[in-house]
Amino acid sequence: MKIEIWSDIACPWCFIGKRRFEKALEKFEHKDQIDVQWRSYQLDPTLPAHYDGTETEYLSQMKGMPQEQVRQMFAHVTEQAAGEGLDYDFDKIVVANSFTAHRFLHLAKAHNLDAQAKEALLSGHFEHGEDIGDVEYLVRTGVVLGLDEAEIRAALEGDRYAEDVQADIAEARALGVTGVPFFVLDRKYGISGAQPTESFSQALAQAWAERNPLTVLSGNNDDGATCGPDGCN
């Protein structure tokens, strides 16, 4: 069964949703038969390569909210993240356009390392104050994952994988995705947001059952006797 996850590296709920989904998947009895594919999405494609200000200032300006209200929102998100074992630090976040980082993720995907790369960038952004728009940071991250430095630089210093990122975003738009994280199960069910782990578990079970219905075979002799509410035969 294929599960596609649209998310943005600059989205705090995407990291939380990732953790909750992973917990559900780990407990799923058919987890080895699940193909998870990460898809690109940008919350703010108009953001400059780098924003000269803090995350609080950026969101306050973008949403037209007082900075104190933004800080309260961050406190709530930080608490939710901590419940999933994540250590968010909004004061250290470097505000940057995520497009180059998404191109890096597509490069990693070509080497079957997209899950590891996604984890590294989300952690770097929200927990360690790394600059996801900085090519040097992406190169270092890729090398640690086992990618070739020259290949990373060639891809990111040009426009390689730009069309792949745009295609992901266009497909999300066609599916009606207006926010992330957004999970699509076998192109049949969509789950919006960082739902509780239990909700992901229920969705996995339901999608799997409908994809793999049980076929009951009837025998031609009397060996298959059964018992029911009205007795045995």
Side-chain angles (χ1 to χ4, degrees), residues 27-224:
K27 296 185 294 184
F28 188 54
E29 60 180 324
H30 305 291
K31 63 181 178 181
D32 293 337
Q33 299 178 62
I34 302 298
D35 176 23
V36 178
Q37 298 185 3
W38 292 96
R39 309 295 295 272
S40 295
Y41 190 91
Q42 279 199 291
L43 293 172
D44 185 6
T46 67
L47 184 66
H50 289 90
Y51 174 83
D52 187 18
T54 66
E55 180 81 347
T56 301
E57 292 168 340
Y58 164 67
L59 278 181
S60 176
Q61 177 183 339
M62 185 182 75
K63 294 182 175 294
M65 297 167 53
Q67 290 192 22
E68 181 56 34
Q69 187 176 350
V70 173
R71 293 189 189 95
Q72 292 174 2
M73 182 177 67
F74 286 165
H76 171 68
V77 176
T78 299
E79 182 180 1
Q80 293 294 311
E84 306 303 327
L86 304 174
D87 185 20
Y88 280 13
D89 189 342
F90 282 97
D91 291 333
K92 289 177 18 179
I93 286 180
V94 177
V95 185
N97 191 296
S98 61
F99 193 82
T100 300
H102 279 296
R103 291 198 296 119
F104 170 78
L105 290 175
H106 276 275
L107 169 63
K109 184 177 182 178
H111 294 273
N112 296 315
L113 291 170
D114 50 326
Q116 296 90 324
K118 187 77 173 184
E119 175 73 19
L121 295 194
L122 285 168
S123 178
H125 183 63
F126 287 107
E127 297 183 300
H128 304 291
E130 296 286 0
D131 184 352
I132 60 172
D134 179 32
V135 170
E136 294 304 319
Y137 164 65
L138 297 173
V139 168
R140 292 197 306 271
T141 301
V143 169
V144 170
L145 294 175
L147 297 174
D148 178 71
E149 179 176 346
E151 183 181 7
I152 302 170
R153 291 190 183 279
L156 299 186
E157 290 172 359
D159 63 354
R160 191 177 176 189
Y161 297 110
E163 292 184 358
D164 300 84
V165 176
Q166 295 289 9
D168 277 358
I169 295 171
E171 192 165 3
R173 190 179 302 116
L175 289 171
V177 177
T178 58
V180 288
F182 196 88
F183 303 76
V184 177
L185 284 65
D186 242 12
R187 285 300 170 107
K188 187 173 184 179
Y189 293 106
I191 303 174
S192 180
Q195 298 292 332
T197 296
E198 294 74 17
S199 297
F200 285 121
S201 294
Q202 293 170 7
L204 285 169
Q206 181 175 344
W208 182 268
E210 294 184 8
R211 188 176 191 271
N212 300 275
L214 181 66
T215 300
V216 179
L217 303 177
S218 299
N220 296 319
N221 53 46
D222 296 330
D223 294 338

